[in-house]
Amino acid sequence: MDIRYSANPNDVKRYTTEELRREFHISGLYRPDTVQAVYSHVDRMVTLGVMPVNETVPIDKGIDVWANFGTRFFLERREAGLFNLGGPGVVACDGTEYKMGYKDCLYIAMGTKQVTFKSEDSSNPARFYVVSAPAHRAYETRLITLEEAAKKPLGSAESSNKRVINQFIHPDVLPTCQLSMGMTCLEPGSVWNTMPCHTHERRMEIYTYFEIPEDNVVFHLMGQGDETRHIVMQNFDAAISPSWSIHAGCGTSNYTFIWAMGGENQAFDDMDVIPTTDLK
């Protein structure tokens, strides 16, 4: 498991490109029949990538659960949310199977002892993007399809940010302890997301970008509003965003991204908006 410690915004002002990427950028999440995991000390969020090809892969494959979490099993004191970003797959939670198509989402309750992943077609494997947060009680494990997500259309073609925010793991859809997750889809011709940008003093956020066309990239903006930085993102890359950092992106094409949040609350409007003309 890759461990990422918290970064002070005053130190980040002096980071090189390599240092920024080492602290906040996540890549290489999908490798055949493995679990790739990144533990962030920012709100103790864990990001995982699972791509089963020829095997049924348990969520803790290659992870020393006691050494990393001090628990008997991965979700003993955690909840998790995941999306399938690949071919058809199946997630089994304590023996109950959930068939997952492209862009389907699954919330897994705290206390689930066994979680496994498999693909239905090894030539078109599933890609499971997983985020886990600490939890204090068990809710209900539930599959949420794109059709069932709460939808919030935003932006316009004129401002190059026409998009739909799909809220999957969200208080308007189902109860959770602190984890929120959703998917924002940009329309063709739109490249900006989350403008004007903002910070969350009481929550952190993780973005993962996908559906980036070949030979295109997304410039993920981060840092304090008066000290912005950027990380160039490839398809399926993710970025950790501490509470003090903006989190926005501009692509060379339209794209889709998944956001995951955890922290003090789940209030969508609890944010500090920064006027675009104030960015530096």
Side-chain angles (χ1 to χ4, degrees):
M1 180 177 287
D2 183 7
I3 307 294
R4 308 284 181 94
Y5 291 95
S6 301
N8 188 298
N10 292 322
D11 295 335
V12 172
K13 295 176 183 179
R14 298 183 288 272
Y15 280 10
T16 64
T17 298
E18 181 183 351
E19 289 171 320
L20 279 176
R21 294 178 71 85
R22 186 166 61 242
E23 295 293 332
F24 303 107
H25 177 245
I26 300 173
S27 63
L29 280 173
Y30 306 102
R31 299 175 186 176
D33 297 320
T34 66
V35 175
Q36 302 298 316
V38 177
Y39 184 112
S40 172
H41 277 267
V42 181
D43 287 301
R44 300 193 178 277
M45 300 284 272
V46 180
T47 303
L48 307 100
V50 187
M51 188 173 72
V53 179
N54 299 307
E55 302 177 12
T56 297
V57 179
I59 194 171
D60 59 354
K61 183 176 183 180
I63 297 174
D64 187 329
V65 173
W66 176 255
N68 286 283
F69 304 113
T71 56
R72 294 167 300 163
F73 54 93
F74 192 101
L75 295 179
E76 182 176 356
R77 296 185 60 84
R78 287 183 160 272
E79 58 187 353
L82 62 95
F83 282 84
N84 182 9
L85 307 183
V90 178
V91 181
C93 301
D94 285 343
T96 300
E97 292 192 342
Y98 299 88
K99 291 183 178 293
M100 297 190 65
Y102 187 57
K103 294 183 178 179
D104 282 349
C105 174
L106 181 67
Y107 170 74
I108 307 178
M110 184 195 82
T112 305
K113 291 183 177 180
Q114 294 184 326
V115 181
T116 61
F117 305 87
K118 67 179 180 181
S119 296
E120 294 187 352
D121 181 359
S122 61
S123 65
N124 182 28
R127 294 175 184 255
F128 295 107
Y129 172 73
V130 187
V131 177
S132 174
H136 61 274
R137 61 160 291 182
Y139 285 99
E140 180 182 357
T141 297
R142 179 179 161 189
L143 178 68
I144 310 114
T145 65
L146 182 58
E147 291 72 25
E148 295 170 318
K151 294 174 172 54
K152 291 187 175 294
L154 290 174
S156 66
E158 290 76 15
S159 55
S160 302
N161 66 351
K162 188 176 182 181
R163 63 200 190 276
V164 177
I165 298 177
N166 300 278
Q167 298 168 332
F168 286 79
I169 300 175
H170 186 274
D172 290 343
V173 180
L174 78 169
T176 65
C177 290
Q178 66 160 318
L179 183 65
S180 298
M181 293 183 75
M183 177 188 301
T184 300
C185 304
L186 276 69
E187 297 289 335
S190 289
V191 294
W192 283 100
N193 72 66
T194 320
M195 278 293 168
C197 60
H198 57 271
T199 59
H200 300 286
E201 187 61 34
R202 287 153 291 277
R203 298 196 301 273
M204 69 89 72
E205 195 155 357
I206 302 171
Y207 276 12
T208 191
Y209 293 92
F210 68 109
E211 294 188 327
I212 302 175
E214 188 176 359
D215 298 326
N216 285 266
V217 298
V218 173
F219 292 83
H220 178 80
L221 303 180
M222 63 160 295
Q224 293 175 299
D226 59 354
E227 283 279 352
T228 62
R229 301 290 186 269
H230 73 268
I231 300 173
V232 178
M233 311 291 288
Q234 305 281 345
N235 209 22
F236 298 116
D237 284 357
I240 298 168
S241 180
S243 61
W244 50 263
S245 176
I246 65 171
H247 36 279
C250 183
T252 56
S253 173
N254 66 312
Y255 52 90
T256 303
F257 70 98
I258 292 168
W259 43 268
M261 289 188 287
E264 198 70 28
N265 63 44
Q266 296 176 306
F268 181 79
D269 295 329
D270 183 15
M271 61 181 69
D272 300 307
V273 175
I274 302 173
T276 306
T277 52
D278 288 350
L279 294 173
K280 297 179 181 177

